[in-house]
Amino acid sequence: MRALLARHDVRLLLLARLTDVAGSNALWIALGIHVKELTGSNSAAGLTFFAFILGTLGAPLGGVLVDRLRRRPLLIVLNLVSAVLVLPLLLVHDRHSVWICYVVMTLYGLANGATGSAMTALTQTLIPPKHLGDVNGLLQTLLQGLRLIAPLLGAGVLSAFGLGPLVVGDAATFALAALLIALIRQQEDRPQPAQQEETGLQSTAGFRFIARAPTLRQVTVAVVLAIVAFGFSESVLFAVVDTGLHRPPAFLGVLSSLQGAGAIGAGVAAAVLMRRAGEELTVVLGLAFAAAGFLLSAIPSLLAVAPGTVFIGASLPLIIAGTMTLFQRRTPASLMGRTDAALNVLIGVPQTAAIAAGAALIALVDYRIMLAVMAVLMASSALYLATRTIRRPTESLTARLAQEPGEAAPEASPPHRG
């Protein structure tokens, strides 16, 4: 890892990603709070996040763009466009101008989907396959730390100075990310389209690739099951604090800190786990942690809820880093953008539906029953993926990277220069 971080391009890539996420996370939560203050409506505030998710559904179109153009110049343009895109939020001053938030957030979601796919594809190009797990594990550690700090910073700035400084700050972070990416020295070739690609069906190529590749398909099924449970947790955790622990809503901040601590620790361990056990078993371990965490959270005692919250936090980096690394290693460069976009859609749609369903169910169903159902979903997901992973012959790391039916061998990726 130390040798990897000694590379100029790798440091710039990580800094660009962290800069982008820091500005966005600080603005998103503050924007929802601002809309709530202007309208007095929880629904109006929630629509800001819905508008963003609606925009991300256009990710397959962005994936086509990512797989046709050089990723580094594309990322520079996307970040500069995003910097300009957020500036109309400076015009939001009353309830009659809230519509601007929805338009901006929809376009923001569309740009964010393309940016994420381009960043995933550029990472695949810059980082040798054997080091992808190290980089993704480190990235998850840093991102989880940012996600603890940035929302609190955003809410604090909004309270003290209003929305304006956050909008300008987010635009500045996009510009800085564009500059950092422009300073990357490694040259990349234009992605070559796959010969078997059917004309007119480029936007669905990522979905078809996942469906044909057994390992990617099985991990996707497991993660989709898990994301439904995580979607329910958005509402259930409030009931854990209120009904279970009999604490004020502000106590959720304490649990969020515990969750963040678990996430940071797991992010540090993710790279080691992937090297020793492989990406799939790393995802399985993350799913098992979440199942245990949800079960412990159903016990109305802080002695159980606290470690359960740590387990839930630890599960996310293991699932995300394992899945991301597996997809980067098993996907040819010509399909990386569209495959990443397809995965985001396959995760985003059920997640959105689960959040809405959880908000409705928590008023009708005891939170402990919901937590039990969530734990069963997680355990089923872990068992599903574990049984399919164990069925495969025991293989070395090199063999795990070899081609499976419908999957690309590591040689399908472009050469790693420098």
Short mmCIF file of all heavy atoms in Angstrom, two decimals, residues 24 49 105 115 126 141 146 160 186 188 195 217 229 240 256 263 279 301 326 329 354 371 378 384-385 402:
data_model
loop_
_atom_site.label_atom_id
_atom_site.label_comp_id
_atom_site.label_asym_id
_atom_site.label_seq_id
_atom_site.Cartn_x
_atom_site.Cartn_y
_atom_site.Cartn_z
N SER A 24 -20.15 17.35 -1.84
CA SER A 24 -21.51 16.88 -2.12
C SER A 24 -22.24 16.50 -0.84
O SER A 24 -23.40 16.87 -0.64
CB SER A 24 -21.46 15.68 -3.08
OG SER A 24 -20.90 16.06 -4.32
N PHE A 49 -34.19 14.52 -2.13
CA PHE A 49 -33.44 13.27 -2.28
C PHE A 49 -34.06 12.40 -3.37
O PHE A 49 -33.35 11.71 -4.10
CB PHE A 49 -33.39 12.53 -0.94
CG PHE A 49 -32.78 13.34 0.16
CD1 PHE A 49 -33.56 13.91 1.14
CD2 PHE A 49 -31.41 13.55 0.21
CE1 PHE A 49 -33.00 14.68 2.15
CE2 PHE A 49 -30.83 14.31 1.22
CZ PHE A 49 -31.63 14.88 2.19
N MET A 105 -31.23 19.07 -8.45
CA MET A 105 -30.89 17.77 -7.88
C MET A 105 -31.11 16.63 -8.89
O MET A 105 -30.37 15.64 -8.88
CB MET A 105 -31.71 17.51 -6.62
CG MET A 105 -31.28 18.36 -5.43
SD MET A 105 -29.54 18.14 -4.97
CE MET A 105 -29.62 16.55 -4.14
N THR A 115 -20.32 10.52 -13.36
CA THR A 115 -19.04 10.75 -12.70
C THR A 115 -18.57 9.51 -11.94
O THR A 115 -17.39 9.13 -12.00
CB THR A 115 -19.14 11.94 -11.74
OG1 THR A 115 -19.52 13.11 -12.46
CG2 THR A 115 -17.81 12.20 -11.04
N LEU A 126 -5.92 2.89 -13.93
CA LEU A 126 -4.70 3.37 -13.27
C LEU A 126 -4.09 2.35 -12.31
O LEU A 126 -2.87 2.34 -12.11
CB LEU A 126 -5.01 4.65 -12.48
CG LEU A 126 -5.35 5.92 -13.29
CD1 LEU A 126 -5.58 7.08 -12.33
CD2 LEU A 126 -4.23 6.26 -14.26
N THR A 141 -12.41 3.52 3.77
CA THR A 141 -12.05 4.05 5.09
C THR A 141 -12.15 5.57 5.11
O THR A 141 -12.74 6.16 6.02
CB THR A 141 -10.63 3.61 5.46
OG1 THR A 141 -10.54 2.19 5.42
CG2 THR A 141 -10.25 4.10 6.85
N LEU A 146 -15.30 10.78 6.08
CA LEU A 146 -15.89 12.01 5.54
C LEU A 146 -17.39 12.06 5.77
O LEU A 146 -17.96 13.11 6.05
CB LEU A 146 -15.62 12.10 4.03
CG LEU A 146 -14.32 12.79 3.59
CD1 LEU A 146 -14.25 12.80 2.07
CD2 LEU A 146 -14.25 14.20 4.14
N ALA A 160 -25.39 28.74 10.52
CA ALA A 160 -24.66 29.98 10.84
C ALA A 160 -24.67 30.99 9.69
O ALA A 160 -24.79 32.20 9.91
CB ALA A 160 -23.23 29.64 11.22
N GLN A 186 -0.61 9.95 -16.28
CA GLN A 186 -0.72 8.74 -17.10
C GLN A 186 -1.68 8.96 -18.25
O GLN A 186 -2.80 9.44 -18.07
CB GLN A 186 -1.21 7.57 -16.25
CG GLN A 186 -1.37 6.27 -17.05
CD GLN A 186 -1.65 5.09 -16.14
OE1 GLN A 186 -1.01 4.95 -15.11
NE2 GLN A 186 -2.58 4.25 -16.53
N GLU A 188 -4.12 7.58 -21.28
CA GLU A 188 -4.99 6.43 -21.48
C GLU A 188 -5.48 6.39 -22.92
O GLU A 188 -5.64 7.43 -23.57
CB GLU A 188 -6.19 6.48 -20.53
CG GLU A 188 -7.02 7.73 -20.66
CD GLU A 188 -8.28 7.69 -19.81
OE1 GLU A 188 -8.83 6.60 -19.62
OE2 GLU A 188 -8.72 8.77 -19.39
N GLN A 195 -16.56 -6.09 -29.75
CA GLN A 195 -16.97 -6.47 -31.09
C GLN A 195 -18.37 -7.08 -31.11
O GLN A 195 -19.10 -6.93 -32.08
CB GLN A 195 -15.96 -7.45 -31.69
CG GLN A 195 -14.58 -6.83 -31.90
CD GLN A 195 -13.61 -7.82 -32.49
OE1 GLN A 195 -13.92 -8.99 -32.65
NE2 GLN A 195 -12.41 -7.34 -32.81
N ARG A 217 -23.30 -11.90 -11.39
CA ARG A 217 -24.74 -12.02 -11.22
C ARG A 217 -25.10 -12.43 -9.80
O ARG A 217 -26.01 -11.88 -9.17
CB ARG A 217 -25.30 -13.04 -12.22
CG ARG A 217 -26.82 -13.19 -12.16
CD ARG A 217 -27.32 -14.16 -13.20
NE ARG A 217 -26.87 -15.53 -12.95
CZ ARG A 217 -26.05 -16.21 -13.74
NH1 ARG A 217 -25.55 -15.64 -14.83
NH2 ARG A 217 -25.70 -17.46 -13.45
N ALA A 229 -32.90 -4.54 2.91
CA ALA A 229 -32.84 -4.46 4.37
C ALA A 229 -32.27 -3.13 4.84
O ALA A 229 -32.77 -2.52 5.78
CB ALA A 229 -32.00 -5.62 4.92
N VAL A 240 -35.70 2.35 17.09
CA VAL A 240 -34.76 1.75 18.03
C VAL A 240 -34.40 2.75 19.13
O VAL A 240 -34.37 2.41 20.33
CB VAL A 240 -33.48 1.28 17.29
CG1 VAL A 240 -32.40 0.87 18.30
CG2 VAL A 240 -33.80 0.12 16.37
N SER A 256 -24.91 7.00 15.26
CA SER A 256 -24.25 7.26 13.97
C SER A 256 -22.74 7.29 14.13
O SER A 256 -22.00 6.82 13.26
CB SER A 256 -24.74 8.59 13.40
OG SER A 256 -26.11 8.53 13.10
N ALA A 263 -17.45 1.38 10.59
CA ALA A 263 -17.17 1.48 9.16
C ALA A 263 -15.71 1.77 8.89
O ALA A 263 -15.09 1.19 7.98
CB ALA A 263 -18.05 2.56 8.54
N GLU A 279 -12.80 -11.51 -2.81
CA GLU A 279 -13.83 -10.47 -2.75
C GLU A 279 -15.18 -11.03 -2.32
O GLU A 279 -15.90 -10.41 -1.54
CB GLU A 279 -13.97 -9.78 -4.11
CG GLU A 279 -12.73 -9.02 -4.56
CD GLU A 279 -11.76 -9.92 -5.31
OE1 GLU A 279 -12.09 -11.11 -5.53
OE2 GLU A 279 -10.67 -9.43 -5.65
N SER A 301 -31.81 -2.77 24.77
CA SER A 301 -30.76 -2.47 25.75
C SER A 301 -29.58 -1.87 25.01
O SER A 301 -29.18 -2.37 23.95
CB SER A 301 -30.33 -3.74 26.48
OG SER A 301 -29.14 -3.51 27.21
N LEU A 326 -14.42 -6.69 -7.10
CA LEU A 326 -14.77 -7.83 -7.93
C LEU A 326 -15.21 -7.38 -9.32
O LEU A 326 -14.79 -7.94 -10.34
CB LEU A 326 -15.90 -8.63 -7.27
CG LEU A 326 -16.36 -9.88 -8.04
CD1 LEU A 326 -15.27 -10.95 -8.01
CD2 LEU A 326 -17.65 -10.42 -7.45
N ARG A 329 -12.24 -6.14 -11.40
CA ARG A 329 -11.34 -7.21 -11.84
C ARG A 329 -11.97 -8.09 -12.91
O ARG A 329 -11.26 -8.67 -13.73
CB ARG A 329 -10.94 -8.06 -10.64
CG ARG A 329 -9.90 -7.41 -9.76
CD ARG A 329 -9.54 -8.28 -8.57
NE ARG A 329 -8.39 -7.74 -7.85
CZ ARG A 329 -8.00 -8.14 -6.66
NH1 ARG A 329 -8.69 -9.09 -6.04
NH2 ARG A 329 -6.95 -7.62 -6.07
N ALA A 354 -37.45 0.42 -0.93
CA ALA A 354 -37.38 -0.08 0.45
C ALA A 354 -37.45 1.06 1.46
O ALA A 354 -38.07 0.92 2.52
CB ALA A 354 -36.08 -0.86 0.65
N LEU A 371 -36.86 -5.57 12.30
CA LEU A 371 -35.43 -5.88 12.44
C LEU A 371 -35.17 -7.37 12.23
O LEU A 371 -34.16 -7.76 11.64
CB LEU A 371 -34.93 -5.44 13.81
CG LEU A 371 -34.65 -3.94 13.97
CD1 LEU A 371 -34.46 -3.57 15.44
CD2 LEU A 371 -33.42 -3.52 13.16
N MET A 378 -30.67 -10.40 5.37
CA MET A 378 -29.21 -10.36 5.34
C MET A 378 -28.61 -11.75 5.44
O MET A 378 -27.68 -12.10 4.70
CB MET A 378 -28.69 -9.49 6.49
CG MET A 378 -28.84 -8.01 6.27
SD MET A 378 -27.83 -7.45 4.87
CE MET A 378 -28.11 -5.69 4.96
N TYR A 384 -26.84 -17.42 0.56
CA TYR A 384 -26.93 -17.59 -0.90
C TYR A 384 -25.55 -17.43 -1.55
O TYR A 384 -25.11 -18.28 -2.34
CB TYR A 384 -27.92 -16.58 -1.47
CG TYR A 384 -27.86 -16.42 -2.97
CD1 TYR A 384 -28.51 -17.31 -3.82
CD2 TYR A 384 -27.15 -15.37 -3.54
CE1 TYR A 384 -28.44 -17.17 -5.20
CE2 TYR A 384 -27.07 -15.21 -4.91
CZ TYR A 384 -27.72 -16.12 -5.74
OH TYR A 384 -27.65 -15.97 -7.10
N LEU A 385 -24.86 -16.34 -1.20
CA LEU A 385 -23.57 -16.08 -1.84
C LEU A 385 -22.50 -17.05 -1.34
O LEU A 385 -21.66 -17.51 -2.12
CB LEU A 385 -23.16 -14.64 -1.57
CG LEU A 385 -21.90 -14.15 -2.29
CD1 LEU A 385 -22.02 -14.32 -3.80
CD2 LEU A 385 -21.60 -12.69 -1.94
N ALA A 402 -8.99 -15.47 -13.07
CA ALA A 402 -9.08 -16.04 -14.42
C ALA A 402 -10.49 -15.91 -14.95
O ALA A 402 -11.44 -15.67 -14.22
CB ALA A 402 -8.68 -17.52 -14.38
#
